Amino acid sequence: MAKFLNTSATNYFLEELIKGASERLILISPFLKLNDRVKELLEDKNRLKIDVRIVYGKNELQPEEINWLRELTYIRTSFCKNLHAKCYLNEESCIITSLNLYEFSQVNNNEMGVHLSRSDDAEIYREAFEEAQRIIRISDEVRMSLEKVTKDEATTDDEGSTDKQAKLSTSKIAKKLGMKTNDFKDRLTEAGYLEIKDEKHYLTDKGKDAGGEFRTGKFGVFFLWPESFTL
């Protein structure tokens, strides 16, 4: 019989749903930023070679999420444009809820949901599973990978020689300096290389003069900096 879930119950049953998956696991959520507990559970499913599909809808994944996902062989990820559904299923149960698979929502928001079981709510479970499969079919499967180090396009000076300088992503520069990516972004903002508008980072004229570049990739926007860049 279907159960109503409040915020804490949704989080509890979501963990139980992930733990209980023995054949398949489908996680559909527009926003994706996993807390440590969920990561541990998914890592265990990966060790057990359980087929896990994650569908997300906002291409703003942080480098740490990308780095973590790319190491998990049995977790496949797909991007679905205009996704707003939040639905989590294993072979025996299903949660349809307002809760994103996003740690801020799991801690701060007031959520509601419904828990269904395949045995007690067979027809609704079947319809939810079929819709989840449809969403997977219309999604673009992606392999998680950090943006690779790129080279500037060769520029030719008046004497015909070329100059190629390696560019690294913000996360790569941060790692090189022994800093966390977000801390390094804060330093870039304080120093005037980046500015924040509407809670998003933008490259300033100072950043451009320092060789910074704004790029848009499959996983969202990012910045490139000269390999020799220092604050």
Side-chain angles (χ1 to χ4, degrees), residues 1 3 17 89 106 136 142 215:
M1 182 176 179
K3 299 182 182 71
L17 184 147
L89 306 97
Q106 292 175 284
I136 291 173
V142 293
R215 296 287 179 86

Side-chain angles (χ1 to χ4, degrees), residues 78-155:
S78 299
F79 174 76
C80 182
K81 185 179 179 181
N82 299 325
L83 180 68
H84 198 259
K86 298 98 176 175
C87 181
Y88 312 111
L89 306 97
N90 64 18
E91 64 276 1
E92 294 296 337
S93 60
C94 168
I95 296 172
I96 300 172
T97 177
S98 61
L99 179 74
N100 280 295
L101 204 59
Y102 193 76
E103 61 181 354
F104 180 90
S105 301
Q106 292 175 284
V107 174
N108 296 281
N109 291 348
N110 293 306
E111 309 285 354
M112 288 192 218
V114 176
H115 177 272
L116 311 168
S117 72
R118 186 179 182 182
S119 56
D120 294 334
D121 311 286
E123 184 63 19
I124 301 176
Y125 176 90
R126 182 187 61 79
E127 291 176 352
F129 178 76
E130 289 179 355
E131 180 62 13
Q133 291 293 321
R134 186 192 70 83
I135 289 174
I136 291 173
R137 287 195 299 272
I138 66 172
S139 302
D140 295 321
E141 186 170 345
V142 293
R143 186 177 67 83
M144 291 297 173
S145 62
L146 286 172
E147 293 295 335
K148 294 181 180 180
V149 176
T150 63
K151 300 280 185 179
D152 277 343
E153 290 184 5
T155 55

Side-chain angles (χ1 to χ4, degrees), residues 6-218:
N6 60 16
T7 306
S8 58
T10 302
N11 281 293
Y12 170 77
F13 277 98
L14 175 59
E15 287 195 11
E16 292 300 303
L17 184 147
I18 296 172
K19 284 194 294 185
S22 59
E23 297 176 11
R24 61 172 176 264
L25 177 64
I26 300 173
L27 305 175
I28 297 174
S29 171
F31 291 94
L32 185 63
K33 187 174 183 183
L34 307 174
N35 63 39
D36 290 340
R37 175 61 177 166
V38 171
K39 285 183 177 179
E40 287 177 2
L41 294 174
L42 290 176
E43 286 169 355
D44 188 49
K45 297 294 107 173
N46 186 69
R47 283 190 289 270
L48 294 171
K49 301 182 180 180
I50 305 300
D51 180 31
V52 179
R53 293 297 301 262
I54 298 177
V55 182
Y56 65 99
K58 305 295 181 184
N59 56 348
E60 299 174 355
L61 297 187
Q62 297 299 310
E64 56 266 28
E65 242 61 44
I66 298 171
N67 241 346
W68 176 76
L69 283 165
R70 67 198 289 258
E71 301 298 327
L72 303 177
T73 307
Y74 291 91
I75 295 182
R76 292 184 290 167
T77 53
S78 299
F79 174 76
C80 182
K81 185 179 179 181
N82 299 325
L83 180 68
H84 198 259
K86 298 98 176 175
C87 181
Y88 312 111
L89 306 97
N90 64 18
E91 64 276 1
E92 294 296 337
S93 60
C94 168
I95 296 172
I96 300 172
T97 177
S98 61
L99 179 74
N100 280 295
L101 204 59
Y102 193 76
E103 61 181 354
F104 180 90
S105 301
Q106 292 175 284
V107 174
N108 296 281
N109 291 348
N110 293 306
E111 309 285 354
M112 288 192 218
V114 176
H115 177 272
L116 311 168
S117 72
R118 186 179 182 182
S119 56
D120 294 334
D121 311 286
E123 184 63 19
I124 301 176
Y125 176 90
R126 182 187 61 79
E127 291 176 352
F129 178 76
E130 289 179 355
E131 180 62 13
Q133 291 293 321
R134 186 192 70 83
I135 289 174
I136 291 173
R137 287 195 299 272
I138 66 172
S139 302
D140 295 321
E141 186 170 345
V142 293
R143 186 177 67 83
M144 291 297 173
S145 62
L146 286 172
E147 293 295 335
K148 294 181 180 180
V149 176
T150 63
K151 300 280 185 179
D152 277 343
E153 290 184 5
T155 55
T156 305
D157 62 20
D158 293 337
E159 297 178 354
S161 63
T162 60
D163 178 30
K164 292 184 179 180
Q165 185 183 30
K167 293 280 182 92
L168 300 179
S169 66
T170 303
S171 60
K172 290 286 189 180
I173 293 286
K175 184 176 181 180
K176 186 178 176 182
L177 297 175
M179 299 175 64
K180 293 182 178 180
T181 302
N182 288 337
D183 291 342
F184 183 51
K185 282 185 177 179
D186 290 341
R187 291 285 302 278
L188 290 170
T189 304
E190 292 170 3
Y193 295 100
L194 297 177
E195 60 182 347
I196 298 176
K197 296 178 182 178
D198 300 323
E199 301 182 349
K200 293 183 179 181
H201 286 92
Y202 292 85
L203 196 64
T204 64
D205 289 337
K206 182 178 179 180
K208 294 175 183 176
D209 291 340
E213 295 183 19
F214 171 87
R215 296 287 179 86
T216 301
K218 184 172 288 185

